[in-house]
Amino acid sequence: MNINLTVKKGESFRAFYLFFIVHTIQIGAGLMGVPRVIFAEAGSDAWVSILLGGLYLHFIAWIMLLILREYENADILGIQMDLFGRFMGYVLGTVFLIYVFLILLTVIRNYIEVVQVFIFPEVPVWLMALCLLFLMVYCLLGGLRVVVGASFIFFLLTIWLSLTIYKPFTYMDMGHFLPIMEASPMEILNGARVMSYSVLGMEVLLFIYPYIDNKKNAALPVHLGLGLTTFLILLVTVVSIGYFSPYQLRETVWATLSLFKIISFSMIERFDFIAVALWMMVIIPNIVLFGWMLVHGMNRLYNAKFKPTLYGIAGAVFIAAVLIEYRMNINVLTDITSKVGFYLVFVYPLIVYIALMVRKLWRKGRSA
Amino acid sequence: MDTKVPLSKDTYIEELKKKFNQSPDLICKEIQLKQQTLVIHFVNYQVKKDLVERDLLHPLTGARRSWSVEDLKNKIPLASSESVQSLEDITNKLIHGSVSVYIEGVPDVVLFALPNLEQRALNRAETESLVFGPQISFTESLVTNLNVIRWRLDTDDLVMEKIIIGERIPSEARLIYLKSLANDENVNTMRQRLRDLVVDQVEDTSVLSQFIEDSSSTVFPQLITTELPDRFCLSLTKGRVGVVLDKSPTVLVGPMSLFDFFESTEDLYMRWNMGTFIRMLRFFAMILSIMLTPMYVAALTYHYEIIPASLLISLGQSRATVPFPPVIEALLLEMLIEFLREAGARLPTKVGQTMGIVGGIVLGQAAVKAGFTSNILIIVIALSALASFTAPSYLMGSAIRVIRFPMILLAGAWGLIGIMFALSFLVIHLLKQESLGRPYLAPIYPLDLKDFNDFLYRTTFQRNSRRPDFLMPKDKERFNDQKANQKNDVRET
């Protein structure tokens, strides 16, 4: 396997789109339930946790870019090979792919569950999974251009949803935030940690970086994208804490979606139905980008052919999504995924960076 | 392969007759001069007979001399004359309206082109009619169309490349573009596709466009076929590449973005604010046309909660007697509208209008009275049908109408989830499309904010001084916008 990738002219895209890629892959299944999760850890000081977590996001993105810039045109799979050797490279790469597979699975399963709870209690899992995977396969067959385009267009088609939050915003009770800094520092840090499932996905940067046209301008869109993600999570959580009573919020699994319930227009009485259906468009960039990472990673690591891998992965996700119902709880799987993701995305890059620096110093020492 | 012209007069006449399958329309006239015999051939209805008599037969018989090939070419007052040696060439030329003159004993036959082309006059545009602006439309004759294009774009910049399409029945096509504007890649792509096309015949440009389009499986047209010379020429001056085909009343232009199909040249002829308003109206109509009926079906089948209480009552009342589920009800009415449209298109104009009124009003009223459909659905369906007809491109309007049917079915099957699935599929589908290898969703994706002006809306002409980036023209500036904004007229004080 080559450490650096050669990218054909038509395959690359402008750094500008990184904003949408990084943002849309983060926002997805996690945002639907994030207020409750953080609230459970940090209480009414959840916003502090989110701010801290957001800062850490930027720090990790900075580290990621530092790592990637050490190489000419490499992704994380190549860098691992180079740093830790062939065997460890394969092991770590496989761990990465398994993690991406898991997160793809949980995104699909979580959305199906939401649809079952909010719209169709009876809708079979296999049908929804089939629909979503069909869209994924159809999109991926168009190549990276269509994948990036999907993330961009679906962002435009859904971002207006965040404007509807003004309605619950007006019903907020500021008393819910008092007293400030009630939570202990440990609780706040825990709150920041459990936020991780909602912001997983920024590792796409480590995969997609070689395909960026103007790599010098990559930092700004990435940080802006992360900033928007943090802002949206903060907004949703703050409004949820203000809108729901603490007891209610502990019981509301998908607080974000429940916020939509009170929104109504002159032609539409219950907006939450539309919002949940529209959430499919929020989910698709997730599925598509994670799917691309998987297929692309399989190709990089094992030289797997594009189409058979794509169909194989879609089939595997489909079977797993249907089987989970009987064998395993979705929440357990989500917890496992978010734990693996936490270490892989928010801790592991630090190790890579330190290893990179140590090797650099060592080489310098040797040559001097 | 080629048969030489026989030197004996009788064999020559016999051979030509054979070539023409003994056709009674091949006129053969022998002229006996003092020293030589001339044989003149032409196809009865393919030549202008009065010209043949005045400019050819008259000088030939009137002269008291003998004719040589050179004499024929130089002394006869006709613009196009040539000499050929093979019978196949002669046959071919005769079919296309030439007159052949054979001097007995000479292997060269001189041909004069006097074609009598039956063609209609330049008419008003029918399918893409404009309220105001230029009214003429292209005709079936290539020569006339080229004439019109030359007249509109009278610059030496205009390139017209000749390409023959079709093996069995060849038609002449012209690849037309402005040399100093059109992007070379676009021109090459179009030229390559036309040249690589191996078919026996191409009936029309709309057939040609289906042959050379990027994707055949989609319902969306990727190249515009238009009958308006002004639209064609406007496209060329933006840097696009056009194709004109003989025997076809429409011309082909590319590359096109999805948003070009909602543009009418009328937007330019109106003031910019009106133009923008109407363009926006069309986009809105398209979204409405796709979404309205499926939303009705989805809401009434599964999610009646999303309908406000006040509306729900009247909806419930009007639907109370309807025995079908909403999806059947909607499909029935959509079919009715499609039948009306198709019948209106097929019937003669006078009958068609009457039928439309009878069908629309009587059937609609009766359907409601009989309890087949609800009043509100009639409004919904009529609105979305009307909206789909606002597309300036008939092909795009049809595409929009076709999309509705699977969407209604999906809405009937899975409600809002079905609609969202269909919309997501549609977006991804559009993302995958290309026109001459250029992205179909430009300027939205890839995003080019500068191109929004012109594709999505219009501003004043003074501000619109750039050609779209999407077409990558060689010269992006149309004029200096700073100078265009200066006004040096006298101000009254």
Side-chain angles (χ1 to χ4, degrees):
Chain A
M1 195 181 92
N2 292 325
I3 290 156
N4 288 306
L5 276 89
T6 42
V7 176
K8 278 183 230 141
K9 200 186 148 219
E11 283 178 330
S12 55
F13 59 91
R14 277 184 281 158
F16 164 75
Y17 292 106
L18 267 181
F19 171 81
F20 304 97
I21 292 170
V22 168
H23 176 71
T24 53
I25 200 171
Q26 286 186 310
I27 295 296
L31 187 69
M32 297 188 286
V34 71
R36 186 189 69 105
V37 180
I38 305 177
F39 185 76
E41 294 291 338
S44 58
D45 292 323
W47 55 277
V48 186
S49 300
I50 295 171
L51 286 180
L52 275 179
L55 275 182
Y56 189 71
L57 279 187
H58 287 287
F59 171 67
I60 281 292
W62 180 59
I63 293 286
M64 281 180 179
L65 285 172
L66 281 182
I67 295 169
L68 291 165
R69 279 187 182 142
E70 286 294 315
Y71 287 82
E72 187 188 328
N73 205 20
D75 60 359
I76 187 71
L77 300 172
I79 293 172
Q80 284 172 161
M81 287 270 171
D82 184 47
L83 263 181
F84 305 125
R86 234 179 123 66
F87 176 72
M88 277 312 281
Y90 271 110
V91 171
L92 286 167
T94 312
V95 169
F96 243 115
L97 292 188
I98 290 171
Y99 152 73
V100 173
F101 179 82
L102 282 179
I103 200 163
L104 180 60
L105 188 61
T106 55
V107 166
I108 290 180
R109 272 307 320 230
N110 273 310
Y111 179 63
I112 295 175
E113 204 185 354
V114 167
V115 169
Q116 283 176 332
V117 169
F118 275 79
I119 305 185
F120 292 128
E122 308 273 286
V123 69
V125 172
W126 65 266
L127 185 71
M128 284 294 296
L130 204 64
C131 282
L132 292 171
L133 287 169
F134 170 74
L135 288 178
M136 178 187 97
V137 169
Y138 186 63
C139 186
L140 281 179
L141 284 177
L144 186 59
R145 185 183 80 89
V146 178
V147 170
V148 175
S151 117
F152 172 64
I153 298 238
F154 285 114
F155 171 81
L156 294 186
L157 287 176
T158 51
I159 189 65
W160 61 273
L161 273 180
S162 57
L163 296 179
T164 57
I165 211 160
Y166 84 97
K167 194 74 184 267
F169 194 83
T170 54
Y171 289 102
M172 269 170 63
D173 182 355
M174 285 303 163
H176 290 170
F177 293 97
L178 300 174
I180 293 173
M181 294 315 256
E182 190 186 23
S184 70
M186 211 44 221
E187 282 172 335
I188 286 180
L189 283 182
N190 263 336
R193 190 180 54 78
V194 294
M195 181 180 145
S196 64
Y197 180 69
S198 318
V199 292
L200 285 180
M202 62 185 289
E203 66 274 14
V204 71
L205 188 60
L206 296 171
F207 284 77
I208 219 166
Y209 187 76
Y211 292 92
I212 304 167
D213 255 346
N214 38 350
K215 294 193 172 57
K216 274 182 192 158
N217 306 336
L220 182 67
V222 169
H223 284 290
L224 283 179
L226 293 174
L228 184 60
T229 307
T230 315
F231 173 73
L232 280 185
I233 293 177
L234 185 68
L235 185 74
V236 163
T237 311
V238 165
V239 173
S240 297
I241 294 172
Y243 179 75
F244 296 108
S245 69
Y247 175 74
Q248 248 183 327
L249 188 52
R250 279 208 178 81
E251 297 295 307
T252 313
V253 182
W254 292 292
T256 311
L257 296 177
S258 299
L259 284 179
F260 289 119
K261 276 196 176 172
I262 58 152
I263 299 157
S264 67
F265 300 99
S266 57
M267 290 298 282
I268 300 161
E269 184 87 17
R270 285 274 301 276
F271 187 69
D272 54 329
F273 279 84
I274 303 215
V276 170
L278 202 63
W279 209 268
M280 187 192 266
M281 290 194 174
V282 180
I283 296 289
I284 287 168
N286 271 260
I287 300 173
V288 165
L289 282 165
F290 282 122
W292 179 82
M293 277 160 76
L294 254 183
V295 179
H296 176 69
M298 288 291 281
N299 178 264
R300 286 273 288 152
L301 273 185
Y302 304 110
N303 234 342
K305 278 200 180 114
F306 176 73
K307 273 191 183 172
T309 323
L310 177 58
Y311 298 139
I313 285 168
V317 174
F318 178 71
I319 291 167
V322 176
L323 284 185
I324 284 170
E325 222 171 348
Y326 307 106
R327 288 272 163 201
M328 209 185 206
N329 196 325
I330 309 159
N331 293 336
V332 177
L333 187 71
T334 310
D335 282 346
I336 295 172
T337 315
S338 75
K339 276 202 183 98
V340 175
F342 177 77
Y343 290 109
L344 214 48
V345 179
F346 300 114
V347 179
Y348 176 62
L350 293 174
I351 299 171
V352 174
Y353 185 65
I354 291 166
L356 210 58
M357 285 301 110
V358 167
R359 189 179 72 169
K360 214 174 179 183
L361 283 178
W362 186 62
R363 277 189 184 164
K364 217 179 199 176
R366 260 197 5 175
S367 61
Chain B
M1 177 66 215
D2 284 4
T3 332
K4 285 259 168 68
V5 173
L7 293 178
S8 141
K9 178 187 78 181
D10 294 332
T11 3
Y12 170 73
I13 294 174
E14 216 35 58
E15 288 282 327
L16 260 189
K17 254 195 184 164
K18 229 187 268 167
K19 281 269 172 211
F20 272 84
N21 308 317
Q22 313 291 343
S23 163
D25 302 321
L26 182 69
I27 307 288
C28 171
K29 190 171 168 57
E30 283 179 51
I31 300 174
Q32 209 68 45
L33 296 177
K34 266 183 197 161
Q35 288 108 4
Q36 57 185 168
T37 311
L38 300 180
V39 182
I40 293 171
H41 272 107
F42 56 87
V43 179
N44 196 3
Y45 39 74
Q46 287 290 76
V47 296
K48 293 202 173 89
K49 270 209 200 129
D50 47 341
L51 286 188
V52 174
E53 280 159 14
R54 197 187 74 197
D55 293 343
L56 191 64
L57 293 183
H58 194 71
L60 278 183
T61 49
R64 294 160 184 272
R65 52 178 292 185
S66 64
W67 294 92
S68 70
V69 171
E70 284 308 304
D71 283 345
L72 280 175
K73 279 202 206 161
N74 297 332
K75 302 260 164 76
I76 299 289
L78 284 170
S80 96
S81 61
E82 57 181 323
S83 58
V84 292
Q85 274 104 23
S86 85
L87 275 178
E88 279 77 15
D89 281 348
I90 298 171
T91 318
N92 189 16
K93 293 271 156 83
L94 285 179
I95 289 171
H96 289 103
S98 286
V99 182
S100 70
V101 180
Y102 166 81
I103 309 164
E104 189 172 18
V106 179
D108 293 67
V109 171
V110 183
L111 288 153
F112 301 96
L114 287 167
N116 177 29
L117 293 175
E118 279 311 326
Q119 62 184 65
R120 61 187 171 105
L122 289 167
N123 269 340
R124 288 171 72 96
E126 290 278 331
T127 49
E128 296 170 72
S129 58
L130 300 177
V131 179
F132 59 92
Q135 301 288 344
I136 58 164
S137 72
F138 285 123
T139 70
E140 280 80 1
S141 153
L142 177 73
V143 182
T144 318
N145 291 349
L146 294 180
N147 179 235
V148 171
I149 294 167
R150 270 276 179 219
W151 166 63
R152 288 194 74 98
L153 299 174
D154 43 1
T155 158
D156 57 352
D157 221 15
L158 190 69
V159 183
M160 294 182 168
E161 288 177 25
K162 180 173 164 181
I163 294 170
I164 302 288
I165 294 171
E167 314 248 286
R168 184 169 304 277
I169 300 176
S171 300
E172 194 177 331
R174 291 289 165 94
L175 180 69
I176 302 182
Y177 54 93
L178 288 169
K179 197 169 47 185
S180 62
L181 288 182
N183 181 269
D184 288 336
E185 273 182 50
N186 291 346
V187 176
N188 288 340
T189 315
M190 188 69 110
R191 186 190 294 132
Q192 197 62 43
R193 287 191 189 174
L194 289 175
R195 288 225 175 116
D196 289 354
L197 186 64
V198 182
V199 282
D200 64 337
Q201 79 171 106
V202 174
E203 287 84 359
D204 189 74
T205 38
S206 31
V207 177
L208 181 65
S209 86
Q210 291 177 54
F211 270 121
I212 63 172
E213 263 171 358
D214 298 61
S215 162
S216 309
S217 54
T218 173
V219 295
F220 293 100
Q222 292 132 55
L223 299 170
I224 277 188
T225 45
T226 177
E227 56 168 3
L228 295 175
D230 60 325
R231 179 150 201 204
F232 181 75
C233 295
L234 179 77
S235 299
L236 292 194
T237 51
K238 277 183 185 169
R240 290 198 167 87
V241 188
V243 177
V244 180
L245 185 70
D246 196 11
K247 303 156 201 166
S248 166
T250 53
V251 295
L252 207 62
V253 195
M256 284 290 165
S257 134
L258 173 73
F259 303 98
D260 285 311
F261 289 87
F262 299 105
E263 182 192 29
S264 162
T265 36
E266 213 170 82
D267 300 351
L268 299 184
Y269 303 142
M270 270 185 245
R271 298 190 61 76
W272 68 271
N273 22 28
M274 303 299 153
T276 301
F277 171 71
I278 291 175
R279 186 90 55 93
M280 291 292 151
L281 197 74
R282 282 194 210 113
F283 289 133
F284 178 66
M286 286 307 126
I287 294 167
L288 203 71
S289 178
I290 294 179
M291 294 288 292
L292 207 54
T293 325
M295 280 303 272
Y296 172 89
V297 171
L300 281 187
T301 318
Y302 299 103
H303 322 287
Y304 53 86
E305 298 98 324
I306 66 172
I307 305 167
S310 48
L311 190 63
L312 194 59
I313 293 168
S314 65
L315 252 179
Q317 275 169 350
S318 86
R319 252 194 69 76
T321 54
V322 179
F324 314 117
V327 58
I328 303 286
E329 186 193 358
L331 281 178
L332 261 175
L333 265 193
E334 284 282 359
M335 294 283 270
L336 177 74
I337 291 266
E338 284 300 299
F339 288 156
L340 278 177
R341 186 195 56 74
E342 187 60 19
R346 297 294 146 249
L347 282 171
T349 334
K350 285 171 192 165
V351 194
Q353 280 177 0
T354 331
M355 268 311 293
I357 294 164
V358 171
I361 297 176
V362 175
L363 267 183
Q365 273 298 320
V368 173
K369 279 257 172 69
F372 260 51
T373 55
S374 68
N375 271 321
I376 291 174
L377 184 64
I378 295 233
I379 301 174
V380 166
I381 299 266
L383 251 183
S384 52
L386 206 60
S388 76
F389 286 112
T390 58
S393 156
Y394 188 72
L395 285 176
M396 186 49 86
S398 314
I400 299 275
R401 274 198 301 284
V402 169
I403 293 170
R404 266 208 314 252
F405 285 92
M407 285 205 57
I408 292 172
L409 284 175
L410 279 170
W414 301 307
L416 279 172
I417 297 290
I419 295 181
M420 284 304 155
F421 172 74
L423 279 183
S424 306
F425 178 80
L426 192 65
V427 168
I428 296 173
H429 180 75
L430 283 172
L431 268 171
K432 288 174 96 166
Q433 300 311 315
E434 289 177 342
S435 169
L436 290 185
R438 302 272 176 236
Y440 196 51
L441 272 189
I444 300 276
Y445 179 77
L447 187 71
D448 193 334
L449 288 174
K450 286 184 213 145
D451 274 5
F452 271 33
N453 177 3
D454 203 32
F455 278 88
L456 297 182
Y457 57 84
R458 250 201 73 205
T459 53
T460 57
F461 281 122
Q462 286 89 332
R463 282 174 187 282
N464 194 1
S465 66
R466 292 173 58 264
R467 294 195 174 83
D469 285 334
F470 164 65
L471 301 166
M472 299 187 204
K474 284 178 190 158
D475 182 11
K476 283 202 172 145
E477 285 274 302
R478 289 176 63 203
F479 50 82
N480 187 331
D481 58 339
Q482 240 116 60
K483 274 187 189 156
N485 275 319
Q486 274 173 14
K487 288 201 172 99
N488 298 325
D489 47 356
V490 184
R491 277 236 195 103
E492 279 185 44
T493 44

